[in-house]
Short mmCIF file of all heavy atoms in Angstrom, two decimals:
data_model
loop_
_atom_site.label_atom_id
_atom_site.label_comp_id
_atom_site.label_asym_id
_atom_site.label_seq_id
_atom_site.Cartn_x
_atom_site.Cartn_y
_atom_site.Cartn_z
N MET A 1 63.76 31.49 18.53
CA MET A 1 64.46 30.46 19.30
C MET A 1 64.10 30.57 20.77
O MET A 1 64.18 31.63 21.37
CB MET A 1 65.98 30.62 19.12
CG MET A 1 66.43 30.41 17.69
SD MET A 1 65.88 28.82 17.00
CE MET A 1 67.44 28.19 16.43
N ALA A 2 63.74 29.45 21.40
CA ALA A 2 63.26 29.48 22.77
C ALA A 2 64.38 29.20 23.76
O ALA A 2 64.52 28.10 24.27
CB ALA A 2 62.13 28.47 22.93
N LYS A 3 65.19 30.18 24.01
CA LYS A 3 66.32 30.00 24.92
C LYS A 3 65.87 29.89 26.38
O LYS A 3 66.62 29.42 27.21
CB LYS A 3 67.30 31.17 24.79
CG LYS A 3 68.14 31.10 23.53
CD LYS A 3 69.18 29.99 23.61
CE LYS A 3 70.07 29.99 22.36
NZ LYS A 3 70.98 28.84 22.33
N ASP A 4 64.62 30.34 26.68
CA ASP A 4 64.14 30.26 28.05
C ASP A 4 63.83 28.83 28.45
O ASP A 4 63.49 28.55 29.58
CB ASP A 4 62.92 31.17 28.25
CG ASP A 4 61.80 30.83 27.27
OD1 ASP A 4 62.07 30.10 26.31
OD2 ASP A 4 60.69 31.30 27.49
N LEU A 5 63.97 27.90 27.55
CA LEU A 5 63.84 26.49 27.88
C LEU A 5 64.94 26.04 28.83
O LEU A 5 64.91 24.95 29.35
CB LEU A 5 63.92 25.63 26.62
CG LEU A 5 62.66 25.58 25.77
CD1 LEU A 5 62.94 24.81 24.49
CD2 LEU A 5 61.54 24.91 26.53
N CYS A 6 65.94 26.91 29.03
CA CYS A 6 67.05 26.58 29.92
C CYS A 6 66.55 26.20 31.31
O CYS A 6 67.11 25.35 31.96
CB CYS A 6 68.01 27.75 30.01
SG CYS A 6 69.44 27.41 31.05
N VAL A 7 65.48 26.84 31.76
CA VAL A 7 64.97 26.51 33.09
C VAL A 7 63.65 25.77 32.96
O VAL A 7 62.68 26.29 32.43
CB VAL A 7 64.78 27.79 33.94
CG1 VAL A 7 64.22 27.42 35.32
CG2 VAL A 7 66.10 28.51 34.08
N ILE A 8 63.62 24.53 33.39
CA ILE A 8 62.42 23.71 33.34
C ILE A 8 62.18 23.13 34.73
O ILE A 8 63.06 22.49 35.31
CB ILE A 8 62.56 22.58 32.32
CG1 ILE A 8 62.76 23.15 30.91
CG2 ILE A 8 61.34 21.66 32.35
CD1 ILE A 8 63.13 22.12 29.88
N LYS A 9 61.00 23.38 35.26
CA LYS A 9 60.65 22.89 36.60
C LYS A 9 61.70 23.30 37.65
O LYS A 9 62.08 22.50 38.50
CB LYS A 9 60.48 21.37 36.59
CG LYS A 9 59.31 20.91 35.74
CD LYS A 9 59.23 19.39 35.72
CE LYS A 9 58.13 18.91 34.78
NZ LYS A 9 58.15 17.46 34.61
N GLY A 10 62.20 24.52 37.52
CA GLY A 10 63.15 25.03 38.51
C GLY A 10 64.57 24.54 38.32
O GLY A 10 65.48 24.95 39.04
N LYS A 11 64.79 23.67 37.35
CA LYS A 11 66.14 23.16 37.11
C LYS A 11 66.68 23.76 35.82
O LYS A 11 65.95 23.92 34.85
CB LYS A 11 66.14 21.64 36.98
CG LYS A 11 65.88 20.93 38.29
CD LYS A 11 65.97 19.42 38.09
CE LYS A 11 65.73 18.68 39.39
NZ LYS A 11 65.74 17.22 39.17
N CYS A 12 67.97 24.04 35.85
CA CYS A 12 68.59 24.52 34.62
C CYS A 12 68.91 23.31 33.74
O CYS A 12 69.47 22.32 34.19
CB CYS A 12 69.87 25.29 34.93
SG CYS A 12 70.51 26.15 33.49
N VAL A 13 68.48 23.40 32.52
CA VAL A 13 68.67 22.30 31.59
C VAL A 13 69.63 22.72 30.50
O VAL A 13 69.49 23.78 29.91
CB VAL A 13 67.32 21.88 30.96
CG1 VAL A 13 67.52 20.81 29.90
CG2 VAL A 13 66.39 21.38 32.06
N THR A 14 70.60 21.90 30.27
CA THR A 14 71.57 22.20 29.21
C THR A 14 70.92 22.01 27.84
O THR A 14 70.25 21.02 27.59
CB THR A 14 72.78 21.26 29.33
OG1 THR A 14 73.34 21.39 30.62
CG2 THR A 14 73.82 21.59 28.28
N ILE A 15 71.11 23.00 27.00
CA ILE A 15 70.63 22.91 25.63
C ILE A 15 71.82 22.71 24.73
O ILE A 15 72.78 23.47 24.77
CB ILE A 15 69.89 24.20 25.22
CG1 ILE A 15 68.76 24.53 26.21
CG2 ILE A 15 69.36 24.08 23.80
CD1 ILE A 15 67.53 23.68 26.08
N VAL A 16 71.79 21.68 23.96
CA VAL A 16 72.86 21.45 23.00
C VAL A 16 72.27 21.54 21.60
O VAL A 16 71.06 21.45 21.41
CB VAL A 16 73.53 20.07 23.20
CG1 VAL A 16 74.19 19.99 24.57
CG2 VAL A 16 72.53 18.94 23.03
N ASN A 17 73.15 21.73 20.64
CA ASN A 17 72.68 21.77 19.26
C ASN A 17 72.96 20.43 18.59
O ASN A 17 74.05 19.89 18.71
CB ASN A 17 73.38 22.90 18.50
CG ASN A 17 72.90 24.26 18.97
OD1 ASN A 17 73.56 24.90 19.78
ND2 ASN A 17 71.75 24.68 18.51
N CYS A 18 71.98 19.93 17.92
CA CYS A 18 72.12 18.68 17.20
C CYS A 18 73.27 18.81 16.18
O CYS A 18 73.27 19.74 15.38
CB CYS A 18 70.81 18.37 16.47
SG CYS A 18 70.92 16.97 15.35
N PRO A 19 74.25 17.92 16.25
CA PRO A 19 75.40 18.02 15.33
C PRO A 19 75.00 17.90 13.86
O PRO A 19 75.72 18.37 12.99
CB PRO A 19 76.28 16.83 15.74
CG PRO A 19 75.85 16.47 17.12
CD PRO A 19 74.38 16.81 17.18
N THR A 20 73.88 17.29 13.61
CA THR A 20 73.47 17.07 12.22
C THR A 20 72.67 18.24 11.67
O THR A 20 73.00 18.77 10.62
CB THR A 20 72.65 15.78 12.11
OG1 THR A 20 73.44 14.69 12.61
CG2 THR A 20 72.28 15.51 10.67
N CYS A 21 71.64 18.66 12.38
CA CYS A 21 70.77 19.71 11.83
C CYS A 21 70.81 20.99 12.67
O CYS A 21 70.15 21.95 12.33
CB CYS A 21 69.34 19.20 11.71
SG CYS A 21 68.53 18.97 13.30
N GLU A 22 71.58 21.00 13.77
CA GLU A 22 71.78 22.17 14.61
C GLU A 22 70.52 22.63 15.33
O GLU A 22 70.46 23.73 15.83
CB GLU A 22 72.41 23.32 13.81
CG GLU A 22 73.77 22.93 13.28
CD GLU A 22 74.48 24.09 12.58
OE1 GLU A 22 73.86 25.15 12.43
OE2 GLU A 22 75.65 23.92 12.23
N LYS A 23 69.53 21.78 15.39
CA LYS A 23 68.33 22.07 16.17
C LYS A 23 68.67 21.97 17.65
O LYS A 23 69.53 21.18 18.04
CB LYS A 23 67.27 21.02 15.80
CG LYS A 23 65.91 21.22 16.42
CD LYS A 23 64.99 20.15 15.83
CE LYS A 23 63.78 19.94 16.73
NZ LYS A 23 62.92 18.85 16.21
N GLU A 24 68.00 22.76 18.48
CA GLU A 24 68.27 22.73 19.91
C GLU A 24 67.71 21.46 20.54
O GLU A 24 66.57 21.07 20.27
CB GLU A 24 67.68 23.97 20.59
CG GLU A 24 68.43 25.23 20.19
CD GLU A 24 67.90 26.45 20.93
OE1 GLU A 24 66.90 26.34 21.65
OE2 GLU A 24 68.50 27.52 20.77
N VAL A 25 68.52 20.80 21.35
CA VAL A 25 68.13 19.56 22.00
C VAL A 25 68.33 19.72 23.50
O VAL A 25 69.40 20.13 23.95
CB VAL A 25 68.98 18.37 21.50
CG1 VAL A 25 68.53 17.07 22.15
CG2 VAL A 25 68.94 18.26 19.98
N LYS A 26 67.30 19.41 24.26
CA LYS A 26 67.41 19.46 25.73
C LYS A 26 68.17 18.24 26.23
O LYS A 26 67.87 17.12 25.84
CB LYS A 26 66.01 19.50 26.36
CG LYS A 26 65.36 20.86 26.27
CD LYS A 26 63.93 20.80 26.72
CE LYS A 26 63.01 20.38 25.58
NZ LYS A 26 61.59 20.35 25.95
N TRP A 27 69.19 18.48 27.06
CA TRP A 27 70.01 17.39 27.57
C TRP A 27 69.29 16.74 28.75
O TRP A 27 69.57 17.02 29.91
CB TRP A 27 71.39 17.93 27.97
CG TRP A 27 72.40 16.82 28.13
CD1 TRP A 27 72.62 16.09 29.25
CD2 TRP A 27 73.29 16.32 27.13
NE1 TRP A 27 73.60 15.16 29.01
CE2 TRP A 27 74.03 15.27 27.72
CE3 TRP A 27 73.54 16.65 25.78
CZ2 TRP A 27 75.01 14.56 27.03
CZ3 TRP A 27 74.51 15.94 25.10
CH2 TRP A 27 75.23 14.92 25.72
N LEU A 28 68.33 15.88 28.44
CA LEU A 28 67.51 15.23 29.44
C LEU A 28 67.50 13.73 29.19
O LEU A 28 67.73 13.29 28.06
CB LEU A 28 66.07 15.76 29.37
CG LEU A 28 65.85 17.22 29.73
CD1 LEU A 28 64.43 17.64 29.37
CD2 LEU A 28 66.12 17.47 31.20
N PRO A 29 67.23 12.95 30.25
CA PRO A 29 67.17 11.49 30.07
C PRO A 29 66.19 11.07 28.97
O PRO A 29 66.40 10.09 28.29
CB PRO A 29 66.70 10.98 31.44
CG PRO A 29 67.12 12.03 32.41
CD PRO A 29 67.02 13.34 31.65
N GLU A 30 65.11 11.84 28.81
CA GLU A 30 64.14 11.47 27.79
C GLU A 30 64.57 11.85 26.38
O GLU A 30 63.96 11.42 25.41
CB GLU A 30 62.77 12.08 28.09
CG GLU A 30 62.72 13.58 28.02
CD GLU A 30 62.57 14.20 29.41
OE1 GLU A 30 63.23 13.70 30.35
OE2 GLU A 30 61.80 15.15 29.54
N SER A 31 65.64 12.62 26.29
CA SER A 31 66.18 12.91 24.97
C SER A 31 67.11 11.76 24.58
O SER A 31 68.32 11.84 24.73
CB SER A 31 66.93 14.24 24.98
OG SER A 31 66.08 15.28 25.39
N LEU A 32 66.51 10.71 24.11
CA LEU A 32 67.23 9.44 23.93
C LEU A 32 68.40 9.56 22.98
O LEU A 32 69.36 8.82 23.08
CB LEU A 32 66.25 8.39 23.39
CG LEU A 32 65.10 8.01 24.34
CD1 LEU A 32 64.17 7.01 23.66
CD2 LEU A 32 65.64 7.41 25.64
N TYR A 33 68.32 10.49 22.05
CA TYR A 33 69.33 10.52 20.99
C TYR A 33 70.29 11.69 21.16
O TYR A 33 71.02 12.01 20.24
CB TYR A 33 68.65 10.55 19.63
CG TYR A 33 67.71 9.39 19.46
CD1 TYR A 33 66.33 9.57 19.50
CD2 TYR A 33 68.21 8.09 19.31
CE1 TYR A 33 65.47 8.49 19.37
CE2 TYR A 33 67.35 7.02 19.19
CZ TYR A 33 65.98 7.22 19.22
OH TYR A 33 65.14 6.16 19.10
N ARG A 34 70.26 12.33 22.35
CA ARG A 34 71.16 13.45 22.57
C ARG A 34 72.61 13.04 22.31
O ARG A 34 72.98 11.91 22.64
CB ARG A 34 70.97 14.01 23.99
CG ARG A 34 71.33 13.01 25.10
CD ARG A 34 70.98 13.60 26.45
NE ARG A 34 71.50 12.79 27.52
CZ ARG A 34 70.91 11.69 28.01
NH1 ARG A 34 69.77 11.29 27.48
NH2 ARG A 34 71.47 11.01 28.98
N PRO A 35 73.47 13.85 21.79
CA PRO A 35 73.17 15.25 21.45
C PRO A 35 72.38 15.43 20.16
O PRO A 35 72.25 16.55 19.70
CB PRO A 35 74.57 15.85 21.31
CG PRO A 35 75.39 14.73 20.76
CD PRO A 35 74.83 13.48 21.42
N PHE A 36 71.89 14.36 19.61
CA PHE A 36 71.11 14.49 18.38
C PHE A 36 69.65 14.72 18.72
O PHE A 36 69.17 14.28 19.76
CB PHE A 36 71.25 13.23 17.52
CG PHE A 36 72.68 12.92 17.19
CD1 PHE A 36 73.40 12.04 17.97
CD2 PHE A 36 73.30 13.55 16.13
CE1 PHE A 36 74.73 11.75 17.68
CE2 PHE A 36 74.64 13.28 15.84
CZ PHE A 36 75.34 12.38 16.61
N CYS A 37 68.91 15.37 17.82
CA CYS A 37 67.51 15.69 18.09
C CYS A 37 66.63 14.48 17.82
O CYS A 37 65.53 14.40 18.32
CB CYS A 37 67.08 16.88 17.24
SG CYS A 37 66.96 16.52 15.48
N SER A 38 67.13 13.54 17.05
CA SER A 38 66.29 12.40 16.68
C SER A 38 67.17 11.24 16.26
O SER A 38 68.36 11.39 16.00
CB SER A 38 65.38 12.78 15.52
OG SER A 38 66.17 13.08 14.38
N LYS A 39 66.55 10.09 16.18
CA LYS A 39 67.28 8.91 15.72
C LYS A 39 67.80 9.11 14.30
O LYS A 39 68.89 8.68 13.94
CB LYS A 39 66.35 7.69 15.76
CG LYS A 39 67.06 6.40 15.43
CD LYS A 39 66.12 5.21 15.57
CE LYS A 39 66.88 3.91 15.33
NZ LYS A 39 66.00 2.74 15.47
N ARG A 40 67.03 9.79 13.51
CA ARG A 40 67.42 10.03 12.12
C ARG A 40 68.75 10.79 12.04
O ARG A 40 69.66 10.42 11.32
CB ARG A 40 66.32 10.83 11.40
CG ARG A 40 66.59 11.05 9.94
CD ARG A 40 65.43 11.80 9.31
NE ARG A 40 65.59 11.92 7.88
CZ ARG A 40 66.30 12.87 7.29
NH1 ARG A 40 66.89 13.80 8.01
NH2 ARG A 40 66.41 12.90 5.98
N CYS A 41 68.84 11.88 12.85
CA CYS A 41 70.06 12.68 12.84
C CYS A 41 71.23 11.86 13.36
O CYS A 41 72.35 12.00 12.89
CB CYS A 41 69.87 13.95 13.65
SG CYS A 41 68.91 15.20 12.76
N GLN A 42 70.99 11.02 14.37
CA GLN A 42 72.06 10.17 14.90
C GLN A 42 72.57 9.23 13.82
O GLN A 42 73.77 9.07 13.62
CB GLN A 42 71.52 9.37 16.09
CG GLN A 42 72.60 8.56 16.79
CD GLN A 42 72.03 7.70 17.91
OE1 GLN A 42 70.99 7.06 17.75
NE2 GLN A 42 72.68 7.72 19.05
N LEU A 43 71.66 8.62 13.09
CA LEU A 43 72.05 7.69 12.04
C LEU A 43 72.82 8.40 10.94
O LEU A 43 73.79 7.88 10.41
CB LEU A 43 70.81 7.00 11.47
CG LEU A 43 70.11 6.03 12.42
CD1 LEU A 43 68.84 5.48 11.76
CD2 LEU A 43 71.02 4.89 12.82
N ILE A 44 72.39 9.60 10.60
CA ILE A 44 73.08 10.36 9.57
C ILE A 44 74.52 10.60 9.99
O ILE A 44 75.45 10.40 9.23
CB ILE A 44 72.36 11.70 9.30
CG1 ILE A 44 71.03 11.42 8.60
CG2 ILE A 44 73.23 12.62 8.46
CD1 ILE A 44 70.14 12.65 8.49
N ASP A 45 74.70 11.03 11.28
CA ASP A 45 76.04 11.33 11.75
C ASP A 45 76.91 10.08 11.79
O ASP A 45 78.10 10.12 11.53
CB ASP A 45 75.97 11.96 13.14
CG ASP A 45 77.31 12.55 13.56
OD1 ASP A 45 77.64 13.62 13.01
OD2 ASP A 45 78.01 11.93 14.37
N LEU A 46 76.33 8.96 12.11
CA LEU A 46 77.08 7.71 12.19
C LEU A 46 77.32 7.11 10.80
O LEU A 46 77.99 6.10 10.67
CB LEU A 46 76.33 6.70 13.06
CG LEU A 46 76.24 7.06 14.55
CD1 LEU A 46 75.33 6.08 15.27
CD2 LEU A 46 77.62 7.07 15.19
N GLY A 47 76.77 7.72 9.82
CA GLY A 47 76.94 7.20 8.47
C GLY A 47 76.13 5.96 8.21
O GLY A 47 76.44 5.18 7.33
N GLU A 48 75.09 5.80 9.00
CA GLU A 48 74.27 4.59 8.85
C GLU A 48 72.96 4.89 8.14
O GLU A 48 72.05 4.07 8.13
CB GLU A 48 74.00 3.97 10.23
CG GLU A 48 75.27 3.40 10.83
CD GLU A 48 75.02 2.77 12.19
OE1 GLU A 48 73.84 2.64 12.56
OE2 GLU A 48 75.99 2.43 12.85
N TRP A 49 72.83 6.06 7.62
CA TRP A 49 71.61 6.42 6.90
C TRP A 49 71.75 5.92 5.46
O TRP A 49 71.68 6.64 4.50
CB TRP A 49 71.41 7.94 6.97
CG TRP A 49 70.00 8.35 6.66
CD1 TRP A 49 69.58 9.06 5.58
CD2 TRP A 49 68.83 8.10 7.45
NE1 TRP A 49 68.23 9.25 5.65
CE2 TRP A 49 67.75 8.68 6.77
CE3 TRP A 49 68.61 7.43 8.65
CZ2 TRP A 49 66.44 8.61 7.27
CZ3 TRP A 49 67.31 7.37 9.14
CH2 TRP A 49 66.25 7.95 8.45
N THR A 50 72.01 4.62 5.36
CA THR A 50 72.45 4.05 4.09
C THR A 50 71.33 3.98 3.06
O THR A 50 71.58 4.12 1.88
CB THR A 50 73.03 2.66 4.31
OG1 THR A 50 72.12 1.92 5.14
CG2 THR A 50 74.37 2.73 5.01
N ASP A 51 70.13 3.78 3.51
CA ASP A 51 69.03 3.65 2.57
C ASP A 51 68.92 4.89 1.68
O ASP A 51 68.88 4.81 0.47
CB ASP A 51 67.70 3.43 3.30
CG ASP A 51 67.63 2.03 3.90
OD1 ASP A 51 68.48 1.21 3.52
OD2 ASP A 51 66.75 1.78 4.73
N GLU A 52 68.91 6.06 2.36
CA GLU A 52 68.77 7.30 1.60
C GLU A 52 69.99 7.55 0.72
O GLU A 52 69.88 7.97 -0.41
CB GLU A 52 68.56 8.47 2.56
CG GLU A 52 68.10 9.74 1.88
CD GLU A 52 67.58 10.75 2.91
OE1 GLU A 52 66.67 10.42 3.67
OE2 GLU A 52 68.14 11.85 2.94
N LYS A 53 71.17 7.26 1.27
CA LYS A 53 72.40 7.47 0.50
C LYS A 53 72.40 6.62 -0.76
O LYS A 53 72.79 7.05 -1.81
CB LYS A 53 73.62 7.14 1.37
CG LYS A 53 74.03 8.28 2.29
CD LYS A 53 75.27 7.90 3.08
CE LYS A 53 75.62 9.00 4.08
NZ LYS A 53 76.65 8.54 5.03
N LYS A 54 71.96 5.39 -0.59
CA LYS A 54 71.94 4.49 -1.75
C LYS A 54 71.01 5.03 -2.82
O LYS A 54 71.32 5.00 -4.00
CB LYS A 54 71.47 3.10 -1.31
CG LYS A 54 72.59 2.29 -0.68
CD LYS A 54 72.06 0.95 -0.20
CE LYS A 54 73.12 0.22 0.62
NZ LYS A 54 72.54 -0.93 1.33
N VAL A 55 69.85 5.52 -2.39
CA VAL A 55 68.89 6.05 -3.36
C VAL A 55 69.48 7.25 -4.09
O VAL A 55 69.44 7.34 -5.31
CB VAL A 55 67.58 6.46 -2.64
CG1 VAL A 55 66.67 7.22 -3.59
CG2 VAL A 55 66.87 5.21 -2.11
N ILE A 56 70.09 8.17 -3.31
CA ILE A 56 70.66 9.37 -3.93
C ILE A 56 71.82 9.00 -4.85
O ILE A 56 71.88 9.42 -5.99
CB ILE A 56 71.15 10.35 -2.83
CG1 ILE A 56 69.96 10.90 -2.05
CG2 ILE A 56 71.94 11.49 -3.45
CD1 ILE A 56 70.33 11.63 -0.78
N ALA A 57 72.70 8.14 -4.36
CA ALA A 57 73.84 7.73 -5.18
C ALA A 57 73.38 7.04 -6.45
O ALA A 57 73.88 7.29 -7.52
CB ALA A 57 74.74 6.81 -4.37
N GLY A 58 72.36 6.20 -6.30
CA GLY A 58 71.87 5.46 -7.45
C GLY A 58 71.32 6.39 -8.52
O GLY A 58 71.66 6.26 -9.69
N SER A 59 70.52 7.40 -8.11
CA SER A 59 69.93 8.27 -9.11
C SER A 59 71.00 9.15 -9.76
O SER A 59 70.93 9.45 -10.94
CB SER A 59 68.84 9.14 -8.48
OG SER A 59 69.31 9.75 -7.32
N GLU A 60 72.02 9.54 -8.98
CA GLU A 60 73.11 10.33 -9.57
C GLU A 60 73.85 9.50 -10.61
O GLU A 60 74.21 9.99 -11.68
CB GLU A 60 74.08 10.80 -8.47
CG GLU A 60 73.53 12.01 -7.72
CD GLU A 60 74.45 12.43 -6.59
OE1 GLU A 60 75.46 11.75 -6.38
OE2 GLU A 60 74.13 13.43 -5.93
N ASP A 61 74.09 8.26 -10.28
CA ASP A 61 74.78 7.39 -11.23
C ASP A 61 73.97 7.26 -12.52
O ASP A 61 74.51 7.32 -13.61
CB ASP A 61 74.97 5.99 -10.62
CG ASP A 61 76.11 6.00 -9.61
OD1 ASP A 61 76.84 7.00 -9.56
OD2 ASP A 61 76.25 5.00 -8.87
N ASP A 62 72.67 7.12 -12.37
CA ASP A 62 71.83 6.99 -13.55
C ASP A 62 71.92 8.23 -14.43
O ASP A 62 72.04 8.16 -15.64
CB ASP A 62 70.37 6.75 -13.14
CG ASP A 62 70.20 5.36 -12.53
OD1 ASP A 62 71.12 4.53 -12.71
OD2 ASP A 62 69.17 5.11 -11.90
N LEU A 63 71.87 9.41 -13.79
CA LEU A 63 71.96 10.65 -14.55
C LEU A 63 73.30 10.73 -15.26
O LEU A 63 73.38 11.08 -16.43
CB LEU A 63 71.81 11.85 -13.61
CG LEU A 63 70.38 12.11 -13.11
CD1 LEU A 63 70.39 13.19 -12.03
CD2 LEU A 63 69.48 12.55 -14.26
N MET A 64 74.37 10.40 -14.53
CA MET A 64 75.70 10.45 -15.14
C MET A 64 75.77 9.52 -16.35
O MET A 64 76.25 9.89 -17.40
CB MET A 64 76.76 10.03 -14.11
CG MET A 64 76.95 11.05 -12.99
SD MET A 64 77.70 12.60 -13.53
CE MET A 64 79.41 12.05 -13.64
N SER A 65 75.28 8.30 -16.19
CA SER A 65 75.37 7.33 -17.28
C SER A 65 74.63 7.83 -18.51
O SER A 65 75.15 7.77 -19.61
CB SER A 65 74.79 5.99 -16.86
OG SER A 65 74.95 5.81 -15.49
N SER A 66 73.41 8.37 -18.30
CA SER A 66 72.65 8.78 -19.48
C SER A 66 73.30 9.99 -20.15
O SER A 66 73.26 10.12 -21.37
CB SER A 66 71.20 9.09 -19.10
OG SER A 66 71.14 9.79 -17.88
N GLU A 67 73.96 10.85 -19.35
CA GLU A 67 74.66 11.98 -19.96
C GLU A 67 75.80 11.47 -20.84
O GLU A 67 76.03 11.94 -21.94
CB GLU A 67 75.21 12.91 -18.89
CG GLU A 67 74.15 13.88 -18.37
CD GLU A 67 74.68 14.74 -17.24
OE1 GLU A 67 75.89 14.87 -17.12
OE2 GLU A 67 73.86 15.27 -16.47
N TRP A 68 76.53 10.52 -20.29
CA TRP A 68 77.66 9.96 -21.06
C TRP A 68 77.17 9.28 -22.34
O TRP A 68 77.77 9.41 -23.39
CB TRP A 68 78.45 8.95 -20.21
CG TRP A 68 79.35 9.62 -19.24
CD1 TRP A 68 79.22 9.68 -17.89
CD2 TRP A 68 80.56 10.35 -19.54
NE1 TRP A 68 80.26 10.39 -17.33
CE2 TRP A 68 81.08 10.81 -18.31
CE3 TRP A 68 81.22 10.66 -20.73
CZ2 TRP A 68 82.26 11.57 -18.26
CZ3 TRP A 68 82.39 11.41 -20.68
CH2 TRP A 68 82.91 11.86 -19.47
N GLU A 69 76.04 8.61 -22.23
CA GLU A 69 75.53 7.91 -23.41
C GLU A 69 75.16 8.89 -24.51
O GLU A 69 75.37 8.66 -25.69
CB GLU A 69 74.30 7.07 -23.03
CG GLU A 69 74.70 5.77 -22.32
CD GLU A 69 73.53 5.10 -21.65
OE1 GLU A 69 72.38 5.45 -21.96
OE2 GLU A 69 73.76 4.24 -20.78
N GLN A 70 74.64 10.06 -24.07
CA GLN A 70 74.24 11.06 -25.07
C GLN A 70 75.47 11.64 -25.78
O GLN A 70 75.43 11.95 -26.94
CB GLN A 70 73.47 12.19 -24.39
CG GLN A 70 72.03 11.77 -24.06
CD GLN A 70 71.33 12.76 -23.16
OE1 GLN A 70 71.83 13.85 -22.95
NE2 GLN A 70 70.21 12.37 -22.61
N ILE A 71 76.59 11.74 -25.07
CA ILE A 71 77.81 12.23 -25.70
C ILE A 71 78.38 11.13 -26.59
O ILE A 71 78.52 11.22 -27.73
CB ILE A 71 78.87 12.59 -24.61
CG1 ILE A 71 78.33 13.74 -23.74
CG2 ILE A 71 80.20 12.99 -25.28
CD1 ILE A 71 79.12 13.95 -22.47
ZN1 ZN B 101 68.87 16.95 14.24
#
């Protein structure tokens, strides 16, 4: 872990941990999704990562249905 990132260009930079994946994120204007490390993590936290959720939920449902059918 690179904790020495705290000082960049002579300035102390706050390092936060991404609430979703706990990766270190520099609190800088260019960190557009702070405190998240990426747009993906932001969407996950906001519950808007619906595409992936739908896929996962759908496949789980399919597995459940086929198990029930076998019984
Ligand atoms: Zn993240």
Side-chain angles (χ1 to χ4, degrees):
M1 296 306 233
K3 285 288 183 187
D4 56 346
L5 282 174
C6 182
V7 179
I8 298 171
K9 295 178 185 172
K11 289 183 180 177
C12 190
V13 175
T14 303
I15 306 284
V16 297
N17 290 98
C18 172
T20 303
C21 70
E22 298 185 354
K23 185 175 159 183
E24 291 184 354
V25 182
K26 283 172 275 182
W27 196 273
L28 294 170
E30 65 251 41
S31 302
L32 296 177
Y33 304 107
R34 63 186 189 278
F36 303 94
C37 70
S38 64
K39 186 176 184 179
R40 184 178 186 275
C41 283
Q42 185 184 44
L43 291 177
I44 290 171
D45 192 75
L46 293 173
E48 292 181 9
W49 198 247
T50 48
D51 287 347
E52 193 166 303
K53 278 182 184 169
K54 279 177 189 168
V55 171
I56 293 168
S59 50
E60 281 177 358
D61 284 349
D62 289 346
L63 285 171
M64 291 291 283
S65 330
S66 41
E67 278 176 20
W68 282 109
E69 282 167 16
Q70 283 169 12
I71 296 167

